[in-house]
Amino acid sequence: MLARRQLLGALAGLPLLAAAPDYRLVAEPVAAGIWVVRGADAPIAMANGGAIANITIIATDAGAVLIDAGASHRQGAALAVLARRLTGTPVARVYLTHLHPDHSFGASAFPASMVAATPAVAAQVAGDKAGFSAGLYRLLGDWMRGTELPAPALVAQAGPVLIGGRALRLFTLAGHSPSDLAVLDEATGTLITGDLVFHNRAPATPHADLPAWRRALDQLAALGQARVVPGHGPVDGTPGTAIAQTRAWLDWLEPALRAAMEAGMTMVEAGNIAIPPQFAGLAVARLELQRSVSHFWAGLEAARLPRLAG
Ligand SMILES: [Zn+2]
């Protein structure tokens, strides 16, 4: 057994440990039995612990349903506490809308048997093929401690789901990422879109397929829901404002980048083109434009090269 003096001596030799950071999550009521925990309308950064995605909490008689789980084990655990406080029941199910870590890594705080995702997302998340965890650990350091994603054990399939008396309808779409899940709460007409919809915040495109994304937005718009909970940005209390805004950005982005390339611009110049005044209210527009240049430039270049025979 260590003597007290030895112990203190050993501790003194350790680097000073900063206090573990804490998430301060605030839930906004959206409709009967539905709350949204708003993410910061900013890039993932030490200041926000990666808590930039909107998380939806839905009360059911069988327990709370989470749509997305945050960026880290610690955020997932904080969401579990918050959901229990709001609904009076523990979390019973977690749906992951897509593979991006600001939405999915908080699933670390829940047993795999509780986590549902499409087969494509389950495979992507389990294998961490995009190397998200290393990148996130670099960006977020201690916020990420203990984060280990389970392979989601439940398969999210398109169609109706009844959980604890609450009727949900799942939509399996694509475009923002290779597999995007949207969830409609039938009773309140609340459509939770994941990152298929951004509101007053520029869309992120690291794994986007723009034609597929447009088709998905058309499908969502056709539902005629009462309100939309976007993946990022404020809840849209209208059926179509946020969907139309996301669509308008994507419709502008692709030809704008192509025109920049045709004009002989460099990637840096393309990232500095004028952003139309209609997008003046969008957070992180310049940053997302610059990121989109990096996502799409090589593909645009390849498309311009003459097709080689044989
Ligand atoms: Zn995303």
Side-chain angles (χ1 to χ4, degrees):
M1 192 174 154
L2 282 173
R4 182 180 153 81
R5 214 176 62 197
Q6 283 174 307
L7 187 63
L8 288 174
L11 286 173
L14 291 173
L16 188 66
L17 292 174
D22 238 347
Y23 289 96
R24 309 231 175 276
L25 304 178
V26 178
E28 294 174 10
V30 170
I34 302 185
W35 296 262
V36 170
V37 181
R38 285 269 287 110
D41 296 322
I44 291 174
M46 200 56 111
N48 54 45
I52 66 166
N54 292 339
I55 313 296
T56 303
I57 298 168
I58 303 176
T60 86
D61 292 341
V65 174
L66 286 191
I67 314 290
D68 284 331
S72 66
H73 186 97
R74 196 169 296 161
Q75 192 185 354
L79 285 164
V81 170
L82 180 61
R84 182 170 202 141
R85 205 177 75 219
L86 291 168
T87 67
T89 56
V91 171
R93 187 164 304 175
V94 180
Y95 284 104
L96 301 181
T97 60
H98 65 300
L99 79 165
H100 289 154
D102 49 326
H103 298 258
S104 63
F105 273 32
S108 170
F110 302 92
S113 59
M114 211 180 264
V115 181
T118 65
V121 167
Q124 291 156 350
V125 161
D128 191 16
K129 293 196 181 68
F132 285 128
S133 50
L136 225 52
Y137 268 94
R138 243 192 334 272
L139 274 167
L140 297 177
D142 195 50
W143 288 105
M144 295 298 294
R145 189 182 295 170
T147 301
E148 276 179 52
L149 216 50
L154 301 175
V155 178
Q157 281 175 317
V161 182
L162 192 66
I163 306 176
R166 193 125 198 170
L168 306 177
R169 184 172 297 271
L170 309 185
F171 300 87
T172 52
L173 302 162
H176 168 71
S177 77
S179 178
D180 295 291
L181 183 71
V183 179
L184 177 66
D185 176 62
E186 302 269 16
T188 64
T190 303
L191 178 65
I192 301 119
T193 63
D195 281 1
L196 287 169
V197 179
F198 285 69
H199 189 208
N200 295 346
R201 194 254 193 231
T205 62
H207 302 95
D209 172 337
L210 296 179
W213 196 341
R214 289 194 196 90
R215 287 195 297 275
L217 288 172
D218 288 345
Q219 275 181 264
L220 294 179
L223 296 174
Q225 66 292 326
R227 68 185 64 77
V228 170
V229 179
H232 298 263
V235 173
D236 178 9
T238 77
T241 304
I243 290 175
Q245 195 184 65
T246 303
R247 175 76 195 239
W249 176 272
L250 300 181
D251 285 350
W252 164 72
L253 180 67
E254 197 172 21
L257 294 185
R258 195 170 288 124
M261 177 164 284
E262 296 298 335
M265 289 186 191
T266 64
M267 286 177 71
V268 171
E269 289 166 336
N272 286 324
I273 59 173
I275 295 172
Q278 69 176 120
F279 303 124
L282 269 57
V284 293
R286 176 64 59 192
L287 178 71
E288 290 299 353
L289 169 61
Q290 289 168 342
R291 292 180 71 207
S292 290
V293 170
S294 73
H295 304 147
F296 293 121
W297 204 250
L300 288 170
E301 247 167 6
R304 272 179 92 226
L305 293 173
R307 186 177 286 276
L308 296 174

